[in-house]
Structures are given as C-alpha cells and as structure tokens.
Amino acid sequence: MFPFLALLDSEHVDEELLLAVSRIAPVITSGLTPESTIRYLLVEDTSTDVNQIITFLDNGADKAIVPLSLAKSLLGTVPAHRLLLLLDVANVSAVSDSVRNAVSGVLLKTSSSGFGLDVDLVHSISRFFVGAAVHVLAPDLPTPSIIRKLISIGASVVIPFSQLTLGSTSQKMISIADAFLAPIVSDRSDGLFPTVISSDPHGKRSLGLVYSSCESVAESIRTGKGVYHSRKHGLWRKGETSGATQDVVRIRVDCDTDALEFSVVQHGAGFCHLNRASCFGDLDGLAALERTLTSRLVDAPEGSYTRRLFNDEELLRAKIMEEADELCRAKTKEEVAFEAADLIYFTMARCVAAGVSVKHIERSLDKKAMKISRRPGNAKQQWIPKTEFPKAELSKAEAPRASLAPFSKAPLDRNGPIQMRTVDISAISPEDRAKLLKRPVLRSDEMIAKVKPIVDDVRARGDSALRELTAKFDKVQLDTPLLLPPFYPLAPEAQQLDPAVRDAIDTAYSNVYKFHAAQIDGAPLVVETMPGVTCTRFARPIARVGLYVPGGTAVLPSTALMLGVPAQVAGCEKVVMATPPRADGSISPEVLYVAHKVGAHAILRAGGAQAVAALAYGTETVPKVDKIFGPGNQWVTAAKMLVQNDTDALVSIDMPAGPSEVLVIADDTCNPAFVAADLLSQAEHGIDSQVVLVASSLPETVLAEVEEEVDKQAHALGRVDIVRESVTKSLIVKTQGPDIAMEFSNDYAPEHLILHLRDAPAWVDHVKNAGSVFVGPYSPESCGDYASGTNHTLPTNGYARQFSGVNTQSFQKHITSQEVTMDGLQTLGPIVATLADCEGLQAHANAVRIRLGI
C-alpha cells in the first residue's frame, strides 16, 4: 500500500525529490515522468479527447483520473482498475451505480479549511465507494496525524510536490519520509520494522529479512540505496564494505502497516553474507538460467556448443525456430512443458548475447499488459500454413475452397469474400463422411476441473463467495445477490422498457404460453392390466427450478420466456431466474418484465459457474433448486454437468449444451437470399457456431447465388467479424436428391433444421433427429427463437439423437401407482412369487404369500 500520493503541481520540480518520491508513492501528473515512476494521469479538462487518454494509458500510465463526464465515455473501453474518478465532495451524489462499478476509486477535491474536519466526511463518502480506493486532495498541509487517520478509514492523502521536501518537516512543508512513515507502527519493543528484501530483476525473489528504523528508511528514500538497521550496530548501509550494494526501486508498506518490503537491484556477490544471491538458497528458474548463460557468455570455451550459439547467429536462429515448431506440435502437458523449456533456453541465449536481461523482458511485458488498444492479432503471411486437402475429397474445381471437418482451421482472409467450403458427398469415403458429422471436441473434463474450485467456493461460503466472484468476473459490487418481487413496474430499470419491446414480449408470451399449455400432462393415465390390477401414471410439477438466462454483452428476454413460460404452465412452486448483472448491478428491463410475466419468485444477479453452484446447493439467500435449465457458455455447461453428478446436490439439468447449429436443406425451388439469411442467423451467434447447407441437387448457378448472398448479407451485419470466422469454418454439402440430403441431416442431428424444399411439409415425416424443424420458405429460424410458440432451448452437438428440446413436460415428473384388489392378488400373486423365487428374493415372495395364506 502507499501512505500517500504525490501531485506534480509544477513543471519545475527538483529531480532528486521526484526520484525519491517515485520510490515510495505514485505520482499524479498531467504529463511525462521517469519510466520507473508509478504514474497516474490527471485529466481535469472535460473536453479532452478520450483517445488521448487511452494513448497515455497505452504508453504506460498506470491509471487515469478523470471527471465524471469523461468517465462515462470511457466505461467499457478502459478496465475499471485503470480508472479513478475526479470528484468534488459536493458532487458525490451524482455518481451512478454504473460509474461507481466501472472505476477502481475516486480522488476527492475538498475546499474546506481545516483539513482535520474533513476526515468524518471522507469516511462517510468512502462507504459509498465500498472496496474502492479513496484519495483526498485538500488545500491545507496534512500532518502525520491526519495521514494516519485517513489510512485507518481506508483512504489516503494526495500531497502536492510544492508541499513535499527531502529535508525536515516545517509549517509549510512535510518531509516525504515523515509522510511515508506516518501510518507505520512497530509491534516490537525496540520500535524496528521487519523488512523483506526482494530482488527486482528476478521476479520478486526474496533475498532476506532485515530490520528498518525511521532513520534508515528516511536515508534509503533520500539516497536510493539499501540502508537498514542492525540490532547490534545501528545504521547499516548495505554493501558499504563488501561492495554488495543495492539500488532501491520501490519501498512498500504491508496491509497491516507494521512491516516493509524493499524491492532492490542487488549488486556484487549477492545479498547473503555467505556470498549467495539469497539467504533462502540459490537462484532457480529463469534467474538461475540467466546467471548461467551470462557466465558462459564470458568463459565458454572456444568450439563448445554454448560458444557456437553465442557466435553463430544462424545456428541460434535455427535452434529457436526448431524448438518453436516442436512446442507447437507438443500434445501432452509434459511435452508442452519440456519443449517450452527448450525454447526458453535458446531464447534466453539470444537475449544474453544481445545484452537483454530478464528485467528488460519483464518491463516489455508490463508495457504490453498496460495496453488498452488492441491489435487485430493476425499472423504474418509466412507463418500461415497452406491448407491441404485429401485427394479423394473433392473435385479439382472445388479443391481450393474446402476442408473436411466443419470446425477445421483454415487461413482467414479478412479482406476477401466471406465464403463457406464445399464438399461433394458422392466423392468422399465413408470415413470422410463421418468426419463431416463431427463437432468441435468439447473437453468437458478440463472445463469441469476449472469450474470445480468456483463451485466448491460457493458451496462452502455461500453469499460471500457469490459476491466476490461476481465482483471478480462481472466487475460488479453487489450488496445482495438476490432480487425479490415485484420486478415490474416498480423496479427503476423497468421504467426504461421500450413500449414496442413490451408489446412484442406480450405477443411472444401469448404464443409460447398457448403452445406449452397444450403440452401439459394433466389427466392421469389409468390402465387395468388384468382384472383387479389397476396401474396409473400421473404428472406432478418439479417443485423448485432454476432458470439460467445468459447476459453480459447480450440481452436475452427470449430465453427468459422460453424457460419461464413452461415452468409457469407446469405449476412449479419456486422459480429462480439467474442472469449476470449489468455494469451497474441492475438487470435489463426486458428480462425483468419477462420475470414479472412468468411469475418468477426471485432473480439471482449472477452468472457463470457461480450462479449454477448457488442454484444447485443454495446459499443464505438463494433457494436450492431441484433442476437447472438454460443455455450458457462452456463454464456454465461444465458447472451444470458437475453438479448433476454430485449426489449431495440432488439436482438434475435439462441437457448438455454446445455452440449454436443450423442445417439447411435446399433444392432448386429455394430463394437464395432466404437461404443465406437463415445460414447467417446462426453464424452470428459466435465463432464456434455450426452452419451447414445441404444442397439437394442444387444447380451450380443457384448455389453461386446463395454464396453471393451470404457474402453480401454478412458484410451488412454489425457482427461481421464473428460471421466471417464461423462461415469460413462452415460447409456446403452437395447431395444427389432430397433422400440423401435427409439421410445426412438425420445423421448430423442438428439443433435447427430448415427445409427449403419442394413440398416441404411432406418431408417432415422423414425427420428422425433434429431439435426443431422450420418448414418452407416463410419459416425462418428466428420465429422459433422468439415468438412462434415453440421452445428455442434445444439439444446441440448431435444430442438431438437422444434429447428433446425444453418443453412443458421437462418441468414435470411422472409418478406411477398401482392398486391390486383381493381378487386381483389371487391371480397376480402366484406369478409374482414364482418370479421372486427365481431371483432368490425370499422376502419379496413372502410379501405375497402372507397375504394369500400360502
């Protein structure tokens, strides 16, 4: 932590003072400072171009301090941990939740005289910025007492350079050493501070433990050299006699303000009196490798392998290329680790030969990590492999455009036309046909291992873990994760609902309700299997259900409808809707309105694996559910799979989920523009979307028109970059006639199947495997997604062979009963007893015989 921040309030600052301050505190500046300084960019002019601010952050400024109006413009562009809010104390109430959750702290400006009187006010304001840094700039010179009081309430003072001095504290100036040491309290009888020494160039390796006094700290700050306090000899200037001196890079105070950390550049033989780098043993890892190579650069014998590496640039280049290639080809964790180590060895040899240290590399990495602006990230052309195709796969005319697997990697030309790849199914082997049916490999075991710690944390710590994980992943601080009715129209967010959207939701709700109400399994099934033996099956709603509605970058009231309506129709006693909150902690008004329409009992403001865990196990506020429904990303899917296999959770799920899919079968009667639009409606979901066009004896001219429409319509979409990636991995499968096309579709088992065929309704009877079917040219998949009445939560990844989409009976369970009369048992009993004897279950047989007296 930093006891204070320093404001650079003049262009003419003593360089020695600036360097000393940079060792102990961030410097707030409107311009450039030395590279080693922790820099906070202060922007007071509200007309400043936001791109200028981003450029400063790209160039290494740690944070930007901006007025409220600029903060709103930077939300979502600059990460919260890089933004501080510049605010007058009188304007705190103007800060919305969305802004508060999108910054890491606030710099308060106060104009009141008598600085000590402001501490209580600062304390009350700090409660509004829970978990955020609070810095205070006041016109009066702060005393060490005021600095301590602010630190005790979680705030820190900002001191202008014009009030700082390397000398002694006076009525007009405060010593930087006094300001730094103000909050530090020793817990030792001798008043010394335990001090950890860490090596700055070697990844924060601990060198040793010493003690510091106020006098030694003050001298270290002033001189930039390692100065400590020997319990036997007093002031100890490290290396004064041995030559193992230290340059102090940074001095920090620990969280309890009773210990220090000195980050230093160690010279000479090392820190330890045994002439070792560290009192805790020798160097290892990259630090040890760097030391070894540096030594070999000097003394490696002529003709040795190491000397050849240093002297022969072409040999070293070849080794780096060789090891990089082997790393790319490695498969197992062990292979990757082994090949990465080889590559790092030769990379470090290149660095040492060029005079580049690990510290130089770390500085470069730090600069890259500070970037706000991002490059496209495309590979250079010479490193993009040429795509090769099996000889038997395609005709010569088609070969340049295709690859077998729908998800196989191919070079992505971001400037070329957006095209699918074409395969003629009559020209490939059965093995290659089978490849066309495959989806991307879902490594569920790896994902389950990743989500397990999250699930276990929520299970163990409940709401506390839920709040922390929501803050970590969704960047939102919540007072409580659960919202209770009424959701509409009393919730402030509900007032933002567009009337046209509300009317559309009302119509969609009506259609979805009508279709799902018709599916209710109401009257019991009663069958007399033989005289006196009556068997019954009846349905009951699942009592408690959790509905996961994805959020984040998208607003998905349609998913809330598709899950909420059948739960409402089935009569579930407790319906908990879970959805990630927006940046200000609120829920979208569209989802709130749907929750109101379907009668949800609570809304959990959380997403991801943590939401699934809360629904599965329950927390202090979140009710435990019996079944979890809804789509989500791979984290959500893995968490659902994990909890359903935990017998302690006693929870089931609707179905496994994967990327969105559509398969379109089209013949010569199709409208190419309609076909292209249907393909793109799924391609825009994500880069892993699965899009397949099965061309049933489709003339080449019509197929060309479809491809032209795909390219033209894709370029008109806002999500064109996503579409380009998903379409490039998608397929056109050419077949001879609709029978072969339908056979391929049934083997593929798509989530969505669209029929652009002559007499399309007649082909519905041929469908064996599909999540939902869209029949004819005027049945776009979008209708099923939103408002026709069918459910859009459907099986993906080929699971349409085994699973149905979500429906009303998904929210019901079926119970059977049987009633046997005395006469019925006279007939049935001997049969039961005979079968029980056959299986060796004597008690079963006895339960019959005791009633019959036999």
Side-chain angles (χ1 to χ4, degrees):
M1 62 171 289
F2 301 105
F4 71 97
L5 283 70
L7 173 63
L8 199 60
D9 57 343
S10 171
E11 293 182 6
H12 306 290
V13 175
D14 179 74
E15 185 176 341
E16 188 179 357
L17 175 62
L18 177 58
L19 289 174
V21 169
S22 70
R23 298 180 188 115
I24 57 174
V27 174
I28 300 174
T29 174
S30 57
L32 299 176
T33 58
E35 189 174 308
S36 61
T37 308
I38 298 175
R39 289 176 288 167
Y40 290 4
L41 174 69
L42 177 63
V43 182
E44 296 187 88
D45 184 358
T46 56
S47 64
T48 302
D49 186 353
V50 294
N51 291 319
Q52 217 177 333
I53 298 171
I54 291 171
T55 299
F56 264 96
L57 291 170
D58 282 345
N59 290 335
D62 292 82
K63 296 180 188 288
I65 306 172
V66 299
L68 183 59
S69 58
L70 284 176
K72 292 177 180 177
S73 301
L74 292 167
L75 296 189
T77 302
V78 177
H81 73 276
R82 304 287 299 279
L83 271 184
L84 289 170
L85 192 61
L86 179 64
L87 201 62
D88 191 282
V89 291
N91 297 329
V92 171
S93 60
V95 180
S96 66
D97 287 346
S98 60
V99 173
R100 181 181 60 181
N101 287 318
V103 298
S104 60
V106 61
L107 193 160
L108 297 172
K109 296 170 65 177
T110 175
S111 58
S112 61
S113 60
F115 188 84
L117 299 177
D118 287 334
V119 174
D120 289 338
L121 175 61
V122 173
H123 193 194
S124 64
I125 292 173
S126 69
R127 292 171 181 166
F128 179 72
F129 292 95
V130 177
V134 177
H135 310 297
V136 185
L137 174 64
D140 303 317
L141 179 69
T143 64
S145 172
I146 290 297
I147 295 174
R148 279 193 294 273
K149 287 181 180 178
L150 286 173
I151 291 291
S152 71
I153 62 171
S156 57
V157 67
V158 177
I159 309 175
F161 265 82
S162 58
Q163 297 178 352
L164 293 170
T165 179
L166 287 169
S168 301
T169 297
S170 64
Q171 289 186 344
K172 294 184 178 180
M173 310 277 278
I174 185 170
S175 160
I176 61 173
D178 288 346
F180 179 77
L181 291 165
I184 306 174
V185 179
S186 174
D187 59 0
R188 293 172 52 86
S189 59
D190 57 11
L192 299 178
F193 313 119
T195 302
V196 176
I197 311 298
S198 63
S199 175
D200 187 63
H202 293 141
K204 289 295 181 187
R205 178 181 173 85
S206 295
L207 300 182
L209 177 67
V210 298
Y211 293 91
S212 298
S213 62
C214 291
E215 182 185 3
S216 70
V217 172
E219 184 160 343
S220 282
I221 293 172
R222 181 178 60 81
T223 65
K225 298 297 181 181
V227 182
Y228 310 107
H229 192 98
S230 167
R231 288 170 291 174
K232 291 183 179 179
H233 307 294
L235 209 62
W236 166 35
R237 294 175 176 85
K238 173 65 180 167
E240 192 172 41
T241 57
S242 67
T245 58
Q246 296 174 338
D247 294 327
V248 175
V249 177
R250 195 88 62 220
I251 307 175
R252 289 187 173 89
V253 184
D254 84 323
C255 58
D256 293 325
T257 63
D258 60 4
L260 300 172
E261 181 201 37
F262 275 54
S263 182
V264 304
V265 176
Q266 179 68 55
H267 300 291
F271 178 81
C272 182
H273 70 286
L274 299 177
N275 290 330
R276 295 186 308 200
S278 168
C279 291
F280 301 110
D282 205 357
L283 296 175
D284 56 13
L286 285 178
L289 175 61
E290 179 182 25
R291 183 182 63 182
T292 299
L293 289 171
T294 302
S295 172
R296 290 180 181 175
L297 179 64
V298 175
D299 58 21
E302 287 299 328
S304 68
Y305 182 39
T306 306
R307 175 58 60 194
R308 289 175 59 211
L309 285 176
F310 287 133
N311 292 346
D312 188 341
E313 290 186 4
E314 287 304 313
L315 172 62
L316 183 54
R317 181 180 186 277
K319 290 303 298 182
I320 291 173
M321 300 287 285
E322 173 190 325
E323 298 302 338
D325 182 67
E326 289 182 1
L327 174 60
C328 292
R329 296 174 187 277
K331 300 298 182 185
T332 67
K333 288 173 63 175
E334 293 76 12
E335 289 173 349
V336 170
F338 183 87
E339 299 301 343
D342 279 351
L343 178 59
I344 290 170
Y345 176 88
F346 291 107
T347 302
M348 283 302 302
R350 174 73 180 92
C351 292
V352 169
V356 175
S357 68
V358 170
K359 184 59 182 176
H360 292 124
I361 298 170
E362 288 177 343
R363 284 176 183 163
S364 183
L365 287 171
D366 288 343
K367 286 181 180 179
K368 295 177 189 295
M370 300 291 275
K371 293 281 188 182
I372 302 296
S373 306
R374 298 298 179 195
R375 296 178 298 175
N378 302 326
K380 292 182 179 179
Q381 196 63 38
Q382 66 263 38
W383 304 119
I384 300 175
K386 301 294 186 292
T387 306
E388 296 180 2
F389 305 94
K391 293 181 179 178
E393 182 185 342
L394 307 166
S395 66
K396 290 181 180 179
E398 295 163 333
R401 301 172 46 214
S403 173
L404 274 179
F407 49 89
S408 62
K409 294 181 180 178
L412 185 63
D413 182 0
R414 294 191 175 275
N415 298 315
I418 298 176
Q419 290 182 322
M420 301 171 72
R421 294 164 297 151
T422 303
V423 175
D424 188 337
I425 206 166
S426 65
I428 62 175
S429 67
E431 292 76 17
D432 287 341
R433 182 185 183 278
K435 291 179 183 178
L436 298 178
L437 304 175
K438 291 183 177 180
R439 279 37 164 219
V441 176
L442 301 177
R443 300 189 180 279
S444 57
D445 53 342
E446 293 180 8
M447 283 307 305
I448 287 174
K450 290 179 181 179
V451 303
K452 192 175 188 303
I454 299 173
V455 171
D456 289 346
D457 192 21
V458 174
R459 182 180 182 182
R461 298 195 299 120
D463 284 347
S464 296
L466 204 52
R467 284 193 294 267
E468 290 174 16
L469 291 165
T470 301
K472 177 179 179 180
F473 295 121
D474 296 316
K475 312 303 180 187
V476 179
Q477 297 284 349
L478 299 176
D479 50 355
T480 177
L482 206 68
L483 293 181
L484 298 174
F487 305 124
Y488 184 92
L490 298 181
E493 302 96 311
Q495 307 303 323
Q496 305 167 14
L497 185 59
D498 185 334
V501 174
R502 184 188 61 226
D503 292 344
I505 289 174
D506 286 342
T507 301
Y509 171 84
S510 176
N511 289 347
V512 175
Y513 192 98
K514 186 183 298 182
F515 185 68
H516 285 77
Q519 301 169 23
I520 191 76
D521 195 346
L525 172 69
V526 181
V527 177
E528 186 177 54
T529 57
M530 62 190 305
V533 179
T534 303
C535 297
T536 306
R537 191 189 78 159
F538 52 91
R540 294 289 184 268
I542 296 172
R544 304 167 299 182
V545 294
L547 316 180
Y548 188 88
V549 179
T553 59
V555 177
L556 298 174
S558 59
T559 299
L561 272 174
M562 297 298 171
L563 300 176
V565 169
Q568 183 182 33
V569 169
C572 299
E573 297 172 14
K574 181 77 71 174
V575 177
V576 182
M577 195 174 285
T579 191
R582 298 190 292 185
D584 61 357
S586 66
I587 302 300
S588 76
E590 297 84 0
V591 172
L592 279 178
Y593 183 59
V594 173
H596 160 74
K597 293 279 290 184
V598 302
H601 300 90
I603 297 179
L604 169 58
R605 292 184 293 172
Q610 60 270 28
V612 174
L615 294 171
Y617 299 103
T619 70
E620 300 92 319
T621 59
V622 181
K624 182 205 172 338
V625 302
D626 303 310
K627 189 172 182 179
I628 300 173
F629 295 81
N633 61 21
Q634 55 185 342
W635 294 84
V636 173
T637 299
K640 286 170 65 178
M641 294 171 69
L642 176 63
V643 298
Q644 79 159 341
N645 289 319
D646 183 0
T647 54
D648 287 340
L650 287 176
V651 68
S652 66
I653 65 173
D654 47 359
M655 69 188 84
S660 296
E661 302 174 348
V662 67
L663 187 147
V664 178
I665 303 178
D667 64 13
D668 59 347
T669 65
C670 73
N671 182 317
F674 291 4
V675 172
D678 286 342
L679 295 168
L680 293 172
S681 70
Q682 287 303 297
E684 73 171 349
H685 271 296
I687 62 172
D688 54 357
S689 296
Q690 306 296 293
V691 178
V692 180
L693 169 61
V694 180
S696 172
S697 300
L698 200 61
E700 288 296 328
T701 54
V702 179
L703 188 56
E705 288 182 56
V706 172
E707 293 186 278
E708 288 174 12
E709 284 289 336
V710 166
D711 184 55
K712 181 178 75 175
Q713 293 181 34
H715 278 97
L717 297 173
R719 297 166 71 90
V720 62
D721 288 338
I722 292 174
V723 168
R724 182 182 294 278
E725 290 207 42
S726 58
V727 168
T728 303
K729 293 180 288 189
S730 299
L731 282 175
I732 297 173
V733 179
K734 296 169 71 173
T735 68
Q736 295 301 312
D739 290 302
I740 297 175
M742 188 61 70
E743 181 183 2
F744 180 85
S745 174
N746 283 327
D747 289 343
Y748 190 85
E751 177 188 17
H752 304 98
L753 170 61
I754 304 178
L755 302 179
H756 286 278
L757 293 171
R758 183 181 288 101
D759 193 14
W763 286 98
V764 175
D765 288 344
H766 296 261
V767 176
K768 297 177 181 178
N769 300 317
S772 190
V773 185
F774 300 83
V775 185
Y778 296 100
S779 304
E781 182 272 333
S782 317
C783 290
D785 265 357
Y786 292 105
S788 65
T790 61
N791 206 290
H792 79 197
T793 308
L794 302 167
T796 60
N797 222 45
Y799 280 109
R801 299 182 187 92
Q802 302 95 356
F803 285 86
S804 305
V806 166
N807 55 74
T808 302
Q809 292 189 18
S810 304
F811 292 83
Q812 294 179 298
K813 56 183 182 289
H814 291 87
I815 304 169
T816 60
S817 68
Q818 46 270 302
E819 182 180 359
V820 183
T821 64
M822 175 81 72
D823 291 339
L825 189 60
Q826 293 287 345
T827 306
L828 183 62
I831 297 168
V832 172
T834 299
L835 291 172
D837 289 339
C838 176
E839 294 186 353
L841 298 176
Q842 186 178 1
H844 279 65
N846 186 59
V848 172
R849 291 187 174 115
I850 199 169
R851 285 172 166 81
L852 296 177
I854 58 176

